[in-house]
Amino acid sequence: APFGYGEPMGTRSYHHGDLPEATKRAALAEITEHGHAGLRIRAIARLIGVSHAAVFRHFPDREHLLAAIAAEAFGQLTQALSAAHAGAPTAAAALDAGTDVYLAFAIDHPHLYRLMFDGSIEQLSHPALATAAGASFSLLVEALSRMEHPDPHRTAVMAWSTLHGLANLSIDG
């Protein structure tokens, strides 16, 4: 399950604890099943048994909630990419392994993947999301740098763009 969550929220009411985390889990369950386009904070609040005002204290609007979930998803992707890179004997093997991990993540979590790259979430307004997204990208730049590529950043942009397109094509069948 994304983020390592076992039990999906929405099966029982929220009772004392970490409301931001419960909110994100409930929203993640909805996103996983239906995508993020129709997600509403009031509906999530009802699912976890709290007032929408309580949720708004932690997430001032829908975009903040979605950005928090997307940041965690990038963190999950970065961990998987790091593990793949660490287990690879060469930088080229790390790139191959990272490609497989990236595509598997997109295919296994299509709604979450689409949220991560939703252009309506302004990364500059959400520093945690920008940092998390940048960490994933920096692994690609690092692998290309280890290969002594003359322009690792530019090549990483092209490679990521191609991989992103392939991931979207795979999700769309």
Side-chain angles (χ1 to χ4, degrees):
F3 311 157
Y5 297 140
E7 178 184 327
M9 287 300 296
T11 57
R12 68 189 204 303
S13 294
Y14 166 80
H15 294 286
H16 307 291
D18 189 350
L19 182 55
E21 197 61 31
T23 302
K24 287 188 289 187
R25 282 196 316 232
L28 177 62
E30 287 296 304
I31 290 166
T32 299
E33 190 166 333
H34 305 290
H36 68 282
L39 186 79
R40 300 291 174 258
I41 287 184
R42 287 177 185 268
I44 296 302
R46 274 193 304 277
L47 277 174
I48 57 178
V50 299
S51 72
H52 64 276
V55 173
F56 280 122
R57 278 190 221 109
H58 300 285
F59 301 101
D61 57 32
R62 178 180 178 274
E63 182 178 310
H64 280 81
L65 174 58
L66 292 176
I69 293 168
E72 286 192 33
F74 270 112
Q76 203 64 8
L77 176 60
T78 299
Q79 286 178 343
L81 290 170
S82 292
H85 286 204
T90 65
L95 287 174
D96 285 343
T99 297
D100 292 342
V101 164
Y102 186 95
L103 288 173
F105 184 91
I107 292 166
D108 292 345
H109 311 289
H111 293 303
L112 191 56
Y113 179 82
R114 292 207 192 278
L115 169 64
M116 292 163 65
F117 294 98
D118 186 330
S120 70
I121 300 173
E122 179 56 50
Q123 284 193 10
L124 296 177
S125 300
H126 303 281
L129 176 55
T131 299
S136 290
F137 181 76
S138 70
L139 290 174
L140 178 56
V141 175
E142 179 184 312
L144 289 166
S145 294
R146 286 193 337 227
M147 294 174 70
E148 298 182 12
H149 197 282
D151 191 350
H153 188 271
R154 183 170 191 262
T155 302
V157 169
M158 290 186 295
W160 190 289
S161 299
T162 301
L163 188 54
H164 182 72
L166 181 57
N168 279 303
L169 289 170
S170 297
I171 289 170
D172 292 338

